[in-house]
Amino acid sequence: MTGFDIGRELTAVTMGIDAFERTKANGESLLDGEGLVPIYMGGDIVAPRPYTDWSAPRADLAALADAVAGLGEGPRKTFLEGMLRSLKVAVRLFSGAAPSFEEKVTDLVGAPAGREDPELIETARDRLDALLTRAGFAEGGLGARVSAWEKQKAIPADRIEAVFRELMAEAKARTDARIFDTGAYDMVLNPIRNAHYTARCSFNEGKMDLNLDLHFTRAALKHLVCHEVFPGHSTQLLSTRAAVDAGEAPADALLITANAITGCVQEGIGDQGVQLIDYIEDEDDEIHLHLRRLRSACQTSAAWMLMVEGVPADEVADYLRETAMGQEAWVQGRLRMAAHPFRGPFIASYWAGNEAVRRVRERVTEAQWPDFLKTLYGHANSPASLDMFPQTPAQDH
């Protein structure tokens, strides 16, 4: 089998797993009807493999592993090996097994095990300290100063929609010029409450859910626009479909939204979105960048503390309040997500994905930028396969 043949087979199997999991009643489904692949743009290209029990997808995944073993070494093989490990863990979870949290983090998500480096977290806090002082927020402890900055810079509720539209227009223009032409695609704001997440891209409905239990600075809303839409999730969905249609990428590029190892790089593209389109304008953007980096590292450590080390939930909440300086709705949402048997380990995908994309982005030369974009926006990647750039998946087909 060629790399493209394997990609088509992998997509049929993955979407078969997705379809079979969705047949469960909500009380039995680990993903409450969301599915293994929440957004799939390839229904007219690759149909799901029909499954009626979990033994058949296990056999198909084993056969795919044999086919992948025959590929030459490179990012394509590395990605496929990681994706198959991830799907095998997903099938175990869907069929009633209980892999450890550590196994889910490393094999399902593709992120490193353990807490994040405490020294890195302290360095991020020190950087925030310096930036807030320079911005005139110099009185009191760091947490109080972050809170004062967020409160003073918060967008009034009656201005959220207007600021969202302004940010969307600029982010789209930058994305179209620098990353990928998104054509007529647009997304409207959909305010929600009482959610475990801050924002979410409802691509098919053209809506960006925004959790108004939280307060947003312009810098925070800009990050969410870039993460969810331009040049983040929506842009990646459009670009991978275009790459598959053009015959430049195998069908598994359409699996980028899978709750699997692809999620790390998907979240990394989102979290690096502002930098990818060079949209850092002022000191508020710099403050938010370092605050988000701090919170991403802290939530990864917090999930590990709660689920592996057995630290009581109230102590983990205090850690998120004091070290990450998170708003209460965010703290409670992180605890709920961490405890979820399937979604929990994906907390680690934000930090791991951000670092995976950042490391490569920062070393890419101007001459390499077009190939970097083809790799990042035209193919499904894992952190390990992306890290092999400038070797590209296209070289392995």
Side-chain angles (χ1 to χ4, degrees), residues 36-321:
L36 178 64
V37 186
I39 304 170
Y40 177 57
M41 294 185 67
D44 59 332
I45 299 174
V46 180
R49 181 74 48 79
Y51 293 128
T52 56
D53 61 54
W54 291 115
S55 61
R58 288 193 188 98
D60 286 344
L61 291 173
L64 277 167
D66 290 340
V68 169
L71 296 178
E73 297 302 321
R76 178 68 178 153
K77 183 177 183 179
T78 297
F79 164 70
L80 290 169
E81 288 174 337
M83 186 66 171
L84 290 173
R85 280 195 302 272
S86 184
L87 291 172
K88 287 175 182 176
V89 176
V91 168
R92 288 174 59 201
L93 279 159
F94 293 153
S95 59
S100 69
F101 191 83
E102 179 174 359
E103 185 178 358
K104 287 186 282 188
V105 167
T106 57
D107 290 352
L108 176 65
V109 179
R115 297 192 191 193
E116 293 308 323
D117 184 356
E119 185 176 341
L120 181 151
I121 289 171
E122 284 308 307
T123 298
R125 286 172 60 88
D126 290 344
R127 180 65 177 146
L128 264 178
D129 189 345
L131 288 168
L132 286 165
T133 298
R134 191 174 72 189
F137 295 85
E139 299 296 324
L142 185 58
R145 290 155 61 203
V146 166
S147 180
W149 174 78
E150 289 186 316
K151 184 175 181 180
Q152 181 174 314
K153 302 288 184 174
I155 304 168
D158 62 356
R159 287 278 301 151
I160 287 279
E161 175 73 29
V163 176
F164 172 77
R165 292 312 321 170
E166 170 199 331
L167 294 169
M168 283 280 286
E170 180 64 21
K172 177 175 171 55
R174 289 171 179 260
T175 297
D176 289 352
R178 185 172 170 82
I179 305 290
F180 176 81
D181 186 350
T182 58
Y185 187 80
D186 191 23
M187 188 169 278
V188 300
L189 192 66
N190 182 42
I192 58 168
R193 291 190 180 274
N194 195 31
H196 65 81
Y197 52 86
T198 303
R200 187 166 65 180
C201 159
S202 296
F203 179 86
N204 293 333
E205 298 176 6
K207 295 179 180 179
M208 189 184 97
D209 299 339
L210 186 70
N211 185 357
L212 292 189
D213 289 334
L214 299 164
H215 302 292
F216 298 96
T217 64
R218 183 178 185 277
L221 189 57
K222 177 194 290 187
H223 161 70
L224 292 172
V225 163
C226 291
H227 185 108
E228 301 294 337
V229 194
F230 306 122
H233 299 339
S234 296
T235 301
Q236 192 187 8
L237 281 160
L238 295 168
S239 62
T240 47
R241 174 63 197 239
V244 172
D245 284 346
E248 297 171 355
D252 57 76
L254 301 170
L255 300 177
I256 55 163
T257 72
N259 288 301
I261 202 169
T262 50
C264 263
V265 174
Q266 183 199 28
E267 299 299 351
I269 290 172
D271 272 1
Q272 286 283 300
V274 173
Q275 292 99 312
L276 284 165
I277 58 172
D278 192 23
Y279 198 10
I280 296 176
E281 301 173 287
D282 53 32
E283 63 186 6
D284 285 340
D285 285 343
E286 291 282 355
I287 289 169
H288 182 263
L289 188 154
H290 289 280
L291 182 58
R292 181 173 49 77
R293 182 172 170 81
L294 169 66
R295 287 173 173 166
S296 181
C298 285
Q299 70 180 16
T300 302
S301 292
W304 192 265
M305 292 158 63
L306 183 71
M307 302 305 298
V308 177
E309 298 174 4
V311 178
D314 57 349
E315 293 182 27
V316 177
D318 285 342
Y319 168 78
L320 289 172
R321 294 183 191 109

